[in-house]
Amino acid sequence: MIRYRLLAYRFLGRRLPRWCGGGLGRAGSIALVAAVSVPVVIGMAGLGVDAGYLDYRGAQLQAAADAAVLAGSASLPNITAASAAAITFAQHNMPAAKYGTVLSSSDIQSGSWDSTTHSFTAGGSSPSAMKITLRQTTATGNGVPMLFASMLGFGPVNMTRSAVATYGTSSAWDVMIVHDVSQSFSAQMTSSKAADLALLSCQHNHAGSASQTGLTVFTSFGSVLSTMGNANITTKINSLAQCGTGGMPACSGSNLAAGMYQALQTMTGGAYHPSANLAGKAVILITDGSPNATAAGQPYTVAQGGTGNCPMSSGRNPTPTCTDANLLSFAQTQANALWAHGISVFTIFYSGSSGSPTTDAANLASLVRGVGRAYSTPTASQLSTMMANVCSTMPHALVQ
């Protein structure tokens, strides 16, 4: 009896319609599985696409933050200029028309970076570091929209990225100060020495420990007071005095080329051994005006940064007749020679005693080379601020 029932079941089962139980068949089973699994697969693929898209947008926001903070920190310690530069670069990389406002002034901080603790501290009157935070959030009205998840009712994602940059790194920054000790600049000697010392302080706080500083002085003649890396550089700066006194060159006009030439010889000579971890080299010229040829008829030899072939006067006892224009040309030649060796040239101009401040400023600006800049102030007490501005041009780096 059992055998007959099994045979009947098999016979009838093969002929039952496909919609009956036990009669789905292979094709029907596949269709059922597909109907259930395909939406799941599509949903998971959609989530994967969204995840990849969010990673991309996060990287984009971080790259914009990095670029903006580097651009901004280049203007430190001028906080206003630094903030404006950071916002401009953020908008350039992520236009508001497409991404909304990603950086506002309230998300910009200036302060200092501690390389030992790897921490940023906001505040300070002369900031050396900047921290910014870029935002794409629902609170700022520019959250990052999802692609597939938005179809399921999910709203925009909040995303923020921060970056910190500072000038000065663990790399060395070697500098030669070229200091005017002519008679016309003697009244500002206290302020100009303070500026030189401010540079040393900046190097100590922000540049690598292997950084070296040297010092030359000039009138019509140039003299090296401190070679690169001299441990007594602070003492040498404090010993600066008016021309003709305290071992300074004789008072004889103002020949910038002479000081620049001595700086070049020092920074290219065999006694100077730059650090293996060197970020840059610079000459900083601090003076109260353009070159001023002496009436005594100096020949302005190569040792004085000149060529020795200025026009000679007529008469029984001819003397060289170098002009101010000749001396400016000599200084420009020395600037070219410095930059040919990778040495940038900065100028700091005290304009308070200049009879032609506009012309003098333009002449000094013509000596700038490399990453150098020309600074000017009519107030002697601001010379230290100008030197701090020079120091802030050291190579910048992202630190967080």
Side-chain angles (χ1 to χ4, degrees):
M1 179 63 71
I2 294 175
R3 181 185 298 176
Y4 290 125
R5 288 179 179 176
L6 288 173
L7 290 173
Y9 177 79
R10 291 177 181 174
F11 177 79
L12 292 173
R14 289 178 182 175
R15 290 164 174 75
L16 286 173
R18 293 183 179 275
W19 45 264
C20 294
L24 283 175
R26 183 177 298 174
S29 299
I30 293 174
L32 180 60
V33 172
V36 174
S37 61
V38 167
V40 175
V41 172
I42 293 175
M44 293 182 67
L47 291 176
V49 170
D50 276 339
Y53 176 68
L54 291 177
D55 283 344
Y56 160 73
R57 290 296 295 271
Q60 181 187 32
L61 196 63
Q62 185 66 64
D66 293 347
V69 78
L70 280 171
S73 63
S75 295
L76 291 174
N78 187 326
I79 300 172
T80 301
S83 297
I87 290 174
T88 297
F89 266 74
Q91 292 177 344
H92 176 76
N93 286 290
M94 300 189 74
K98 184 175 181 180
Y99 300 101
T101 301
V102 295
L103 179 62
S104 61
S105 58
S106 60
D107 283 322
I108 299 175
Q109 295 176 291
S110 59
S112 59
W113 175 258
D114 190 321
S115 59
T116 302
T117 61
H118 296 280
S119 61
F120 173 83
T121 301
S125 59
S126 184
S128 58
M130 170 180 275
K131 179 178 181 178
I132 66 172
T133 300
L134 269 59
R135 301 181 188 277
Q136 283 196 272
T137 65
T138 54
T140 53
N142 61 339
V144 181
M146 303 283 277
L147 299 178
F148 286 90
S150 62
M151 302 177 187
L152 302 176
F154 290 95
V157 173
N158 294 329
M159 187 175 290
T160 63
R161 294 293 186 273
S162 297
V164 178
T166 183
Y167 65 77
T169 64
S170 58
S171 300
W173 188 56
D174 290 353
V175 178
M176 198 80 184
I177 301 171
V178 179
H179 201 291
D180 187 348
V181 292
S182 61
Q183 195 167 12
S184 62
F185 200 32
S186 60
Q188 290 74 42
M189 186 63 70
T190 298
S191 295
S192 60
K193 288 196 291 186
D196 294 347
L197 293 173
L199 175 71
L200 295 185
S201 176
C202 182
Q203 277 187 302
H204 175 75
N205 292 329
H206 302 295
S209 59
S211 297
Q212 302 178 58
T213 309
L215 175 66
T216 67
V217 294
F218 68 91
T219 53
S220 279
F221 305 91
S223 176
V224 179
L225 291 191
S226 179
T227 57
M228 297 295 292
N230 189 331
N232 295 322
I233 179 67
T234 300
T235 301
K236 294 295 184 180
I237 290 174
N238 285 321
S239 71
L240 286 170
Q242 180 184 326
C243 56
T245 64
M248 299 297 112
C251 296
S252 52
S254 180
N255 176 22
L256 283 61
M260 297 169 74
Y261 174 81
Q262 295 299 332
L264 175 63
Q265 299 311 302
T266 302
M267 297 188 81
T268 58
Y272 166 52
H273 302 287
S275 168
N277 189 27
L278 186 65
K281 296 181 286 186
V283 159
I284 305 173
L285 178 65
I286 181 167
T287 182
D288 69 335
S290 296
N292 178 22
T294 177
Q298 289 290 339
Y300 296 103
T301 63
V302 171
Q304 292 175 271
T307 60
N309 60 355
C310 289
M312 302 295 289
S313 65
S314 58
R316 190 165 185 173
N317 297 304
T319 58
T321 58
C322 289
T323 65
D324 293 354
N326 291 137
L327 268 61
L328 177 61
S329 177
F330 296 158
Q332 291 167 340
T333 297
Q334 294 302 323
N336 291 336
L338 285 162
W339 181 232
H341 286 86
I343 305 170
S344 296
V345 180
F346 295 81
T347 60
I348 297 178
F349 170 39
Y350 167 66
S351 61
S353 60
S354 172
S356 304
T358 301
T359 299
D360 286 349
N363 289 341
L364 289 169
S366 74
L367 305 180
V368 169
R369 298 291 185 275
V371 299
R373 298 178 187 176
Y375 297 94
S376 176
T377 178
T379 307
S381 61
Q382 289 297 307
L383 290 172
S384 292
T385 300
M386 301 296 99
M387 193 65 85
N389 288 339
V390 171
C391 189
S392 71
T393 65
M394 280 190 287
H396 289 59
L398 288 168
V399 290
Q400 191 178 76

